[in-house]
Amino acid sequence: DLTTSSRFMIWEMSWEGFKERPILGWGQENFLYVFSKYYDPKMWNQEPWFDRSHDVFFDWLIAGGALGLLSYLSMFGAAVWLMWRKLRDRLSVVERAILTGMLAGYFVHNIFVFDNLTSYLVFFALLGYLHALSVDVDGVHEHKAKKDAPRALEAQDALVATALIIAMTAGLVYALNIRNINANIALIDAIRVGVKPIGNGKFEIPIADVASKDLFGRTEAREQLGQMAFQATDPRIPPELRNEFYQLTSRAFEDEVTRDPTNMRTRSFAGMFYSRFGQNEKALEHYAKAIELSPTRQSTYIDLTSMYLNAGNFGKAVENAKIAYELEPAYPESRIFYAIALIYNNQSAEADEVLVPFAGMPQAYDQRIVNAYGNTKRFDKVIALVGEKIAGGDATGRDHLSLAGAYLELGQKQKAIEEIEVAITMDASLKEQGQKIIESIRTGKPI
């Protein structure tokens, strides 16, 4: 089971992080740094980022070290001691057994999950209940001590205290809750809106305002801004808007990196952003730091491979793809990218060896592999691969279109036309494009 196996791997990573900082740990909300540094390449089929150990006890070892875990465990110890030593006269054996069973169930449950507000409410409600019973045992809530107090709290003192409490609470609720709730709502709205035209060929990007505020979710807002910037690389996007996205996102990522230079996730996103905009030197700077922070994470090497392929540096592409592949050969994506890099580097024989485990599987006919053979003029390979896929009954209209392109490059025009006609029959959305290509083939005029 993927969920179970991922937990075992994360626990191993957490243990390594604990051994590095055993006394006080890494601090609250800092599991990402452990996850990056001790990443297990076998986690390629899991979600890309984990911010918890998925085990409360490992979470405390990471957040607070041995002292943090002991502090947490002491609450269980204190509760059990209260029930079985101090509250024997207040709780029956059955009641104590039931409450102890609840704690035991919660304890075991926490081995496989992390705490949240819901589970905390139940846990602390039980601790509060036991505490109330124990205080009552000590002498009717210290009634006598209160009775002998020098003077009762006067009404004006109560009013002043109440006013201060209300003012402080209102301020804290606004600063810590309302502002961040509003920022969260603004982020959701900004994602929905995307880009807002404001006339005269100009646009407003609402998410940029959210990403600039020093509130909870700022990092998420900046990552979402980066995702929108990726989409802005589409040639159909006006150059002015594309440039504005670049400037906004570049400033956001550089500020985020300055604030937290060892955050591998930010480095990874920044590298992809600069690479997508053709700023390979800046991308390489962030990718290099990401690899330094997480040397066993395949995705960074794959991103680097993609960047080098786009830049035409096929030797470097092979070098990085090989590292990703050797970290975990079972990862299909790393195997595909390694094969693609080898094809572009004129090492087709080696690529064939890498792709042997994919024989008869859908990955063997991955469109990126087909494109690599097509771009390197290996049209015989394109025909062979797409032909196998068609024979297996898994082909789409676009596969027939790819086959037509290979036949056309080899000068076999009639076969190309036949495949285009099949493509149009299978996929009506290709009709206009296909008819233009057929007309171009028959007339000799460019499309």
Side-chain angles (χ1 to χ4, degrees):
D1 178 73
L2 289 179
T3 304
T4 305
S5 62
S6 69
R7 278 163 167 73
F8 287 121
M9 287 186 279
I10 292 171
W11 295 347
E12 290 178 12
M13 292 152 59
S14 301
W15 180 249
E16 294 300 320
F18 163 67
K19 289 194 295 184
E20 183 175 341
R21 299 186 182 182
I23 307 301
L24 296 175
W26 294 70
Q28 293 287 347
E29 302 296 328
N30 284 337
F31 179 73
L32 176 65
Y33 304 98
V34 176
F35 179 75
S36 299
K37 188 170 185 178
Y38 297 103
Y39 181 80
D40 188 335
K42 290 183 174 60
M43 292 193 68
W44 59 268
N45 57 352
Q46 306 291 333
E47 58 186 274
W49 305 102
F50 282 80
D51 59 0
R52 291 287 188 277
S53 301
H54 287 259
D55 176 294
V56 168
F57 309 108
F58 273 122
D59 274 341
W60 279 108
L61 282 177
I62 295 300
L67 293 179
L69 178 60
L70 287 173
S71 299
Y72 177 73
L73 293 176
S74 70
M75 292 191 290
F76 286 89
V80 172
W81 181 83
L82 276 175
M83 282 188 287
W84 292 95
R85 294 295 300 274
K86 198 171 184 180
L87 298 175
R88 285 179 295 181
D89 297 333
R90 297 298 305 275
L91 296 172
S92 69
V93 173
V94 173
E95 289 171 330
R96 281 178 280 160
I98 290 173
L99 294 175
T100 303
M102 289 173 63
L103 281 175
Y106 177 66
F107 188 95
V108 173
H109 173 261
N110 280 355
I111 296 174
F112 302 97
V113 296
F114 49 84
D115 260 321
N116 53 61
L117 288 177
T118 306
S119 60
Y120 272 148
L121 284 172
V122 179
F123 180 46
F124 288 115
L126 176 57
L127 294 184
Y129 171 66
L130 295 175
H131 172 72
L133 289 179
S134 67
V135 169
D136 190 53
V137 169
D138 286 338
V140 196
H141 298 291
E142 300 179 352
H143 176 71
K144 186 176 183 302
K146 291 180 180 180
K147 184 177 179 181
D148 296 337
R151 68 182 182 88
L153 187 67
E154 296 181 1
Q156 58 267 33
D157 296 330
L159 287 173
V160 171
T162 301
L164 285 173
I165 290 170
I166 291 173
M168 292 176 64
T169 302
L172 287 171
V173 167
Y174 174 76
L176 298 178
N177 297 91
I178 295 176
R179 289 172 69 234
N180 288 296
I181 289 170
N182 289 339
N184 184 47
I185 294 171
L187 173 59
I188 294 170
D189 290 341
I191 293 171
R192 287 173 179 164
V193 171
V195 177
K196 184 189 298 182
I198 55 177
N200 298 323
K202 294 185 178 180
F203 302 88
E204 181 184 346
I205 305 173
I207 199 171
D209 182 54
V210 183
S212 66
K213 293 179 179 177
D214 190 14
L215 296 168
F216 294 159
R218 176 183 57 185
T219 301
E220 173 69 19
R222 290 176 170 178
E223 289 178 6
Q224 292 293 336
L225 176 60
Q227 293 290 346
M228 291 184 183
F230 293 163
Q231 297 171 16
T233 57
D234 189 318
R236 295 170 293 183
I237 299 295
E240 298 82 7
L241 181 58
R242 188 160 57 246
N243 181 63
E244 188 173 356
F245 263 114
Y246 174 80
Q247 297 297 334
L248 287 170
T249 310
S250 177
R251 286 196 297 269
F253 274 129
E254 292 306 324
D255 180 66
E256 195 70 21
V257 166
T258 301
R259 186 181 67 86
D260 189 3
T262 58
N263 189 315
M264 189 269 173
R265 178 168 174 153
T266 301
R267 292 285 188 174
S268 179
F269 273 103
M272 287 190 289
F273 163 73
Y274 284 118
S275 175
R276 190 70 64 89
F277 277 86
Q279 302 292 319
N280 290 349
E281 288 188 10
K282 286 188 175 182
L284 187 59
E285 174 189 340
H286 291 290
Y287 281 141
K289 186 64 178 179
I291 289 173
E292 179 186 327
L293 295 169
S294 187
T296 56
R297 189 178 177 85
Q298 306 99 311
S299 61
T300 308
Y301 297 103
I302 291 174
D303 291 337
L304 265 173
T305 300
S306 182
M307 186 188 82
Y308 282 125
L309 286 174
N310 291 331
N313 191 338
F314 303 133
K316 278 288 187 180
V318 170
E319 180 184 321
N320 283 277
K322 184 179 181 181
I323 295 173
Y325 167 71
E326 290 179 343
L327 280 169
E328 181 50 59
Y331 183 23
E333 195 73 356
S334 64
R335 187 180 291 272
I336 287 171
F337 265 93
Y338 187 30
I340 290 171
L342 289 169
I343 291 168
Y344 276 105
N345 204 43
N346 296 318
Q347 295 176 263
S348 293
E350 290 89 337
D352 289 341
E353 292 180 13
V354 171
L355 293 171
V356 165
F358 286 159
M361 298 172 64
Q363 291 91 335
Y365 316 115
D366 189 287
Q367 190 60 44
R368 292 167 295 181
I369 297 173
V370 175
N371 291 342
Y373 279 124
N375 292 334
T376 54
K377 310 298 182 184
R378 291 297 308 274
F379 303 115
D380 57 324
K381 283 284 191 178
V382 174
I383 292 171
L385 279 177
V386 179
E388 286 179 18
K389 188 175 183 180
I390 292 171
D394 299 320
T396 65
R398 293 195 176 277
D399 291 318
H400 285 276
L401 204 60
S402 296
L403 188 56
Y407 281 132
L408 190 58
E409 290 289 345
L410 293 174
Q412 301 180 36
K413 295 182 180 180
Q414 186 54 42
K415 282 189 175 182
I417 291 173
E418 291 172 2
E419 292 299 328
I420 294 171
E421 289 173 343
V422 173
I424 293 172
T425 302
M426 293 181 67
D427 187 347
S429 67
L430 300 175
K431 183 176 181 179
E432 183 179 350
Q433 179 186 0
Q435 288 177 342
K436 286 181 179 179
I437 297 173
I438 290 173
E439 183 181 352
S440 175
I441 295 171
R442 286 173 174 164
T443 61
K445 295 179 181 179
I447 298 174

